[in-house]
Amino acid sequence: MGHAEDEDDPRLAAEGEVAVARLAIDSGDLTHAADHLADAIVADPQLPELHEALAELCAAAGGPAAARELFPLEGQVYLGTVVCRAHVEAAAGDWDSAIGLLASAIQYEPAQPWAHTAWLAREDLPSLVDPDAVAQAVARAAGPLPDPLPGELADTVRPFHAFVQAVVERHGDHPLLLAMASGLTRRLGATTRAVELAERAHRLAPGYLPSVMLGNALRADGRPEQALAVWEAELGRTPPEEDDSSGYLAVDVAELYGALGRPAEGLPWLDRVLAAEPGHPKAGPARHALRHAVDGDPAHLLALADHHRAHPEHEYAHELLERLSRRETWLGMVAGATEATVNLMRQVLAEESTTRETALDCSASALEPPSTVLALHLALPRSTVSYEAVGEPDPRVPLAPGTSLWTWDGTDPRPAVAPPSADAAELVRATAEIVWPTVPAAYDHAVRLAGLPVEDLLGVLVHPPLPREDELGRALLSHQPELWVRAVQTFACLGLAHHRTDQPWAESDRRRLLSDLLLGPEDWVVEAAGFALLAIGWTHPDTRPDVAGLLGRRLRHLATARLTRTVTIQRSFAALTLAAPWLPPTDRALAHTLLRPAPAAPSPAAPAQPRPGFLRRLFRRR
């Protein structure tokens, strides 16, 4: 038990390693002692006993210079070995090596307080180091750091920054040091100082690196137009067609135009880069992103996904796709619900007096998707819903015969399939999400459901489990249970998308099942199945023509139905189909039409758009 506690407490773990190291020193096994000290310094870099033991090890080895060989740097080197070697080099007076190794530790694990060490704060240290070595160390440490640094990381890096500033004060005419120091200073939020350092570097040695750093500092300081001027002047001296490194600067220029709301002005820069280097790892993805900024067409996001699938080493394409998909309906999150039952449920849930024992007797003028009842019962299980009329075409009737999830007693929907097994329900519960990074990421995330029986995946569509017992799950249950129902249905259908992937698509069970659900009764499940088909199209381009035909058929039916009755899923389904840019132009134009509010077309049974207050008066609480 004590050993487990040590692993949970870094300081206890470090103290244990130091104790073993001291025993090894006493026995003369210095290599063994060095290994334990390397483990200790990773656990707690500031433990006083650790540094005392490191000094004892150096003494036992015959001095710091001799102790170097106990912390070798050949091949793949353990982080603790690097940090211990840095302290040994400092003890030996080889300050340039010590600074470089400390910078390497910051580079690989910036959250640890490596720089909180007494020797780095020595007042005479800036006079003892080579500014070239310090500039290289700063480049190594700062390169991978976030910009700007979050508070905790800023605290761990600040002593290193203070040392660098002291060296700058002593070597203020060193262009490389000034440029590198500007980058570190910018990350710590001192943007005015970063501009000052970069301007000095640029005056001393106009060129590519000082220009890049000055532009970055100006942009961070809220002066993007000045940054553009600096960068474009540099590209005038070293065009991307003549210098490979200038290609990355041209990408920065293009993206800065995008950030300024002028993406079209950035596109020519990317065209120049791609003309010189068609396989540039950032220019192609950046061009797709800027074209999306120009016209908002999801086709450019699909192009990013296709680019990353063809070039998995181009992580920038994936990064941009995540950024542009975030919080976009279906591209990065489940669609909301607009049904009257859902709207009233939200109002009731917002009241302080509401509990899970609250019961509603709800009566609506026209039939709604049956999954609305699932959402209501999830939050308020004692409630009932009744419907006064069914519009035409009858939303209960599937577009084609196939897998059936619902049966009706008049207008009362009941699940037509058995509940899933407890294990299957729990796996779906653990997998379902209301947001996802990208469409391909959602598809990949659902692969864990591939082994579930079809019966379980169908069952969970109409017998959704309660949300997870975490902060988000409790919030969904208390305020928007419909989002959780939609998330469960979405990921259950994605699970079906992974069913028997060994079968050729055209004759596969997964195609048949998803097609049945897409063309089934009008319900949220239609959209869940549509999203699963969409995800298959995004990740398997050869399926796109078939997916287009399926989605288009449902879209056209909704367009027809909305002429004679309310179609509550028309806008969210239209948004889904627009996320499939390979659909024919006529279907895409129709989807854009459906995104607009439906025309007021009366149903023979009931008003499609009830007058204000109509639904509210029909709903009763008991």
Side-chain angles (χ1 to χ4, degrees), residues 240-332:
E241 298 89 342
E242 299 177 10
D243 188 333
D244 291 345
S245 61
S246 294
Y248 289 94
L249 182 56
V251 172
D252 287 342
V253 167
E255 292 187 325
L256 186 49
Y257 273 117
L260 291 171
R262 296 147 55 191
E265 294 179 56
L267 287 171
W269 285 105
L270 298 175
D271 292 339
R272 289 175 62 180
V273 176
L274 291 169
E277 187 182 352
H280 193 281
K282 292 189 74 172
R287 190 174 188 277
H288 294 312
L290 278 195
R291 291 185 66 195
H292 181 265
V294 170
D295 58 25
D297 192 337
H300 307 306
L301 304 187
L302 179 66
L304 280 170
D306 289 345
H307 182 105
H308 189 245
R309 185 174 54 255
H311 304 281
E313 73 280 7
H314 291 183
E315 281 299 319
Y316 194 54
H318 181 68
E319 178 185 328
L320 288 174
L321 180 58
E322 279 196 12
R323 187 187 309 166
L324 297 173
S325 299
R326 189 172 296 129
R327 302 295 178 183
E328 292 292 329
T329 299
W330 294 122
L331 293 169

Side-chain angles (χ1 to χ4, degrees), residues 305 309 321 438-445 535 538-539:
R309 185 174 54 255
L321 180 58
T438 65
V439 173
Y443 177 82
D444 291 344
H445 181 61
W538 271 65
T539 53

Side-chain angles (χ1 to χ4, degrees), residues 213-224:
M213 302 306 285
L214 177 56
N216 284 332
L218 288 166
R219 180 176 57 183
D221 198 45
R223 293 184 265 173

Side-chain angles (χ1 to χ4, degrees), residues 44 254 273 282 345 380 409 421 426 467 530 551 589:
D44 188 350
V273 176
K282 292 189 74 172
M345 176 186 65
L380 303 170
D409 294 329
S421 69
E426 184 57 33
L551 293 178

